[in-house]
Each structure stands twice: as structure tokens, then as C-alpha cells.
Amino acid sequence: MNAEYIRWRSQFMRKRLQIVTVMSSICIFSFMIWQMVVSRKGQSPLNTHISVALDLGIEALLIGSFWLLRSPFAKNLIYPIFLFIPLTINLTTQIHVSLTGIETPFFIPWVLVFVAQVTIVPVCWRLHFAVQAITVGSYFLLVTFLFGDGVSDIFTRSPLLVAGKLEMPISLIFLFVGWICVMGDLSVYLYEQLQEREFIARKELEEQKERSERLLLNILPQSISDRLKLESNLIADNFQDVSVLFADIVGFTVFAEKFPPEEVVTFLNQIFSRFDVLAERYGLEKIKTIGDAYMAVAGIPFAHRDHAQASLEMAIAMQSELATFNREYQQNLKIRIGISSGPVVAGVIGIKKFTYDLWGDTVNTASRMESHGIAGCIQVSETTYQYLRDRYHFEVRDRVEIKGKGAMTTYVLSS
């Protein structure tokens, strides 16, 4: 049996047994009131007092069991409590009845207990069977001890007359109770078979859903993923203050020609995986990779007050990580990084293989900062420089001719 299902079953039984104790307590109380009413109509007061006292004792045990089930100690006592509650009710009432001189089984509480357990706690058919077997076995032992009758004598006894009325034969009582037990145990067995299969199927469905969620979160920010589940329309947002980072591994094409495709992908995965860790550390959102280029942004999807500084700190860390990679694999790769700050539009477009992407002049400028940069250096635009000029040292590159932008003043982080 599935280990997770067994743990779930134990928790299920614990909750349901609390219901059993409450229902049993109410049921016993109703019979206690009945006893007190009947005693006014000719029943022996002493017998009534004894019955009420027994009922009060059972009530106390049920209340104690209820609080025990709610305590942390119940975790390892579920199965003993399951046996204790019905046996306490069945055997206590049966002993009282037998001591008054009645040899027939007190089948009313038996049936109530058996049916209640089957309907409220429909698991562990073996425990149900154990309760039934112990109840019936105890009855035979008790009757044999008190009245000296053998088993065959009990079953073959003729119907008795009580107060001029024909009493149900003991053999018929046991046939009646026996079929209730058989149907109840079979019902519990079939229910638990179905319940276990459903539990396992539900767990597998949840695991598949979690895997799908993780895959989706590797593609989209969580806030965007959550919106996609609720919205079918286009997702597009304006962000006024962000910093976009582009990084490109210089000479990777030549590097890739020296190794088999599998090793090239492995090397690139090693590098970009380290960059992913840095993005999470510095609070940037990875947007995408294009070949050997890496794109990330600070300030999306949530505002980041120090987006420019976070981007620059990540850029510095990326240089350090690539240097570490070079030492580990005896390579001499360099990285070229460009950063620009300002407004962008971010969103998801298309209906197939969609990705979260950025658009706007800030994105184009950041891309140009990288492509027109210097290998091994971090180049930033004027807007990013204005955010960082009081905290870092930059060298000015006057009037750099930028494709599509014309002559621009850019800044390179000093070593």
C-alpha cells in the first residue's frame, strides 16, 4: 500500500474518530434519557441506576477519547483508539445485560456500533472485522462463564418467551448481525480500494501540475503566469524606470568550432546557469537567451528602486563568474555587457510558444551598448550613468557612433 496513502488514512481516521466519539456520546445520552423515562413505568429503579451509571462511564470514556484524539499524542494511537471505542461500548453493555441474567446477545448496541463505524470511518476493514470478532467472541466467553452453556447449546436454543412475547432466536440474531458485518466489511474494503486509487491518481495529478507550474515559471514571471491563468486577452504593461542588461560572450562562435555540439551546449548551459543564479541573487528578471547572448532586466515585473545598481552589480558578478569558468575549464572567454535605463513596454504576445518580452527605445539602446561595447567591459548609456555616477567610476567614450542611434556619449565602468 502506498506510504503516502497510509499517512493520509491515519489523518482521515483521526478526524473521523472525533466525529464518532461525539455521535456516540449523543447516542448514549439519548439511551440514558430513555432508561430514565422507562424506569417511571415499572422498571426496577436499581437496574435503571446501574444502566445510567454505566452510560455515564461510557460517556466519560468517549469524552476522554475525543480530547486524546485532538492531542499530539494521538498520532501513534489511532488504531488502538479505533478498537477501544466500539469495544468499550459493546462489551460494557453486554456484560451488564448478561449479569442481569439475560443470555441473549445485546445486539442493539452491536448493530449501532458496527453500522456507525462502517459509515463514518470506512477504512481498514480488518479493524472493523477485529471489533466484530472480539465482540462476538467475548459474548460466547461471557455466556459460557456465567451460564455454563457451550457454543452449540447457545446456537440451538429454542426461542424464548419474555413477558408472553416470542423472543428472536439467538441463531437468527447472529445470522442477522453476521450479514450486517459481512456487507459492512465488504463495503469498507471496496471503498478503500477505490479511495486508494483515487488518492494515488490525485497525487500524480498534483505532481504533474506542480511540474507544469515549475516549467511555466521558468518561462514567465510568476505574476504574469498568474494573470495568464485568469486572462485570455493581451498582456502588456508600461514600466517607467527599469534597467535592461544585454551580455554577449565574445568569440563564442570560434570557441564552438573547436568542440562537439554536445560539449558546446554543456559549456553554454554551465555559463548561463551561473548567470541565472546571479539574476535571482540581484533581483533581475531573466528575459531570454539568444544564441550566446543573455538578456535580463531590473524593475520588472515589480518596481526596483535601485534597478540600475542591481543591473551593474550583476554585470560585475557575471564577469567574475566567467573568469571562474575560464579557470575551471582552461578557457579564455570574455564577455561584453551593455546596460541602459528608462521606460519599456513588457508583455506576452502570440498564441504559441509565447514568451515574456520587452520593447522600446531602452531595450534597443541596451542592445547597442552591448554590441558596440568593448570585450571584457561594461558599457552603459547616459541614462544609466546618471543613476550611478555618484557611486561608481566610469570612463567617458565621447561620441561613439551607434548603429541606428547616431553619435552617442557612452560610459565604461572603470576597472
Side-chain angles (χ1 to χ4, degrees):
M1 188 173 287
N2 184 278
E4 287 190 44
Y5 173 74
I6 292 175
R7 285 193 294 271
W8 174 87
R9 186 180 68 180
S10 180
Q11 295 172 355
F12 173 81
M13 290 178 64
R14 183 176 179 176
K15 293 176 182 177
R16 288 301 182 89
L17 283 172
Q18 292 178 46
I19 299 174
V20 166
T21 56
V22 173
M23 289 299 300
S24 298
S25 180
I26 296 171
C27 184
I28 294 295
F29 182 76
S30 69
F31 278 98
M32 185 167 59
I33 297 298
W34 181 84
Q35 284 282 350
M36 296 172 67
V37 171
V38 168
S39 68
R40 296 178 183 177
K41 298 181 178 179
Q43 192 179 34
S44 167
L46 177 62
N47 192 39
T48 299
H49 293 331
I50 294 174
S51 296
V52 170
L54 288 173
D55 290 342
L56 288 173
I58 294 173
E59 289 275 17
L61 289 171
L62 289 170
I63 293 170
S65 298
F66 174 81
W67 289 110
L68 178 60
L69 286 164
R70 293 178 65 87
S71 73
F73 305 105
K75 184 177 180 181
N76 299 318
L77 297 173
I78 299 301
Y79 300 126
I81 293 173
F82 184 98
L83 292 170
F84 173 76
I85 293 173
L87 290 177
T88 298
I89 297 172
N90 286 345
L91 298 184
T92 302
T93 53
Q94 184 61 56
I95 289 171
H96 170 61
V97 168
S98 297
L99 288 176
T100 60
I102 300 174
E103 297 182 47
T104 53
F106 195 19
F107 74 96
I108 293 176
W110 293 13
V111 173
L112 285 175
V113 166
F114 297 159
V115 171
Q117 277 196 303
V118 166
T119 54
I120 300 176
V121 196
V123 290
C124 295
W125 70 270
R126 291 181 178 83
L127 283 178
H128 289 269
F129 179 76
V131 169
Q132 297 155 7
I134 294 172
T135 298
V136 174
S138 298
Y139 163 77
F140 281 110
L141 290 174
L142 183 65
V143 171
T144 300
F145 175 75
L146 290 177
F147 304 103
D149 293 335
V151 173
S152 59
D153 296 330
I154 296 171
F155 270 119
T156 57
R157 185 180 293 116
S158 301
L160 302 176
L161 285 174
V162 178
K165 297 180 180 180
L166 187 65
E167 186 184 64
M168 186 184 297
I170 293 177
S171 57
L172 184 58
I173 291 175
F174 277 107
L175 188 62
F176 169 70
V177 174
W179 276 114
I180 288 178
C181 293
V182 169
M183 289 184 285
D185 291 346
L186 180 61
S187 174
V188 171
Y189 172 78
L190 294 175
Y191 173 84
E192 186 159 26
Q193 292 291 307
L194 177 63
Q195 185 67 31
E196 184 179 4
R197 286 195 295 269
E198 287 184 352
F199 178 86
I200 293 172
R202 193 162 53 246
K203 289 295 293 183
E204 290 176 350
L205 185 61
E206 288 174 1
E207 290 171 0
Q208 291 175 4
K209 184 178 179 182
E210 288 176 6
R211 284 195 294 269
S212 298
E213 287 285 340
R214 287 195 297 269
L215 286 172
L216 189 58
L217 291 177
N218 279 332
I219 301 170
L220 302 171
Q222 183 164 357
S223 60
I224 303 301
S225 170
D226 293 339
R227 286 173 61 184
L228 276 175
K229 295 172 188 175
L230 301 174
E231 305 174 19
S232 58
N233 55 325
L234 181 71
I235 292 180
D237 301 301
N238 284 307
F239 295 90
Q240 294 304 311
D241 292 301
V242 306
S243 289
V244 181
L245 177 152
F246 277 90
D248 186 75
I249 302 172
V250 180
F252 191 80
T253 302
V254 177
F255 168 83
E257 292 174 354
K258 301 176 183 178
F259 300 94
E262 295 82 3
E263 288 191 41
V264 172
V265 174
T266 299
F267 283 142
L268 199 58
N269 180 63
Q270 282 266 357
I271 296 169
F272 283 175
S273 294
R274 298 181 189 203
F275 291 173
D276 289 344
V277 173
L278 294 177
E280 187 171 352
R281 181 187 305 167
Y282 291 102
L284 276 74
E285 184 70 37
K286 176 185 176 182
I287 300 301
K288 59 186 173 183
T289 60
I290 308 169
D292 57 353
Y294 189 95
M295 179 184 178
V297 60
I300 292 178
F302 303 108
H304 194 315
R305 186 179 61 181
D306 296 321
H307 54 85
Q309 183 176 359
S311 298
L312 187 61
E313 289 293 334
M314 177 171 170
I316 296 170
M318 291 168 80
Q319 290 180 323
S320 177
E321 282 293 342
L322 189 62
T324 301
F325 174 85
N326 286 333
R327 287 194 299 271
E328 291 176 358
Y329 294 95
Q330 292 80 47
Q331 301 299 324
N332 191 32
L333 296 174
K334 291 185 179 181
I335 191 169
R336 189 172 57 230
I337 302 174
I339 303 173
S340 185
S341 304
V344 299
V345 175
V348 179
I349 59 174
I351 58 174
K352 288 187 177 181
K353 297 183 180 179
F354 48 76
T355 60
Y356 188 63
D357 212 343
L358 309 179
W359 300 273
D361 186 65
T362 301
V363 179
N364 296 333
T365 303
S367 177
R368 297 294 184 265
M369 290 300 101
E370 177 273 309
S371 62
H372 291 74
I374 304 169
C377 294
I378 302 169
Q379 181 168 243
V380 304
S381 67
E382 178 70 34
T383 52
T384 304
Y385 171 74
Q386 292 301 324
Y387 280 109
L388 302 173
R389 63 182 182 178
D390 296 330
R391 285 175 277 185
Y392 299 89
H393 295 290
F394 293 92
E395 295 178 3
V396 181
R397 294 184 71 197
D398 287 326
R399 315 311 294 169
V400 178
E401 196 68 31
I402 303 295
K403 181 180 178 182
K405 304 292 291 184
M408 295 180 65
T409 298
T410 64
Y411 302 84
V412 176
L413 184 69
S414 300
S415 300

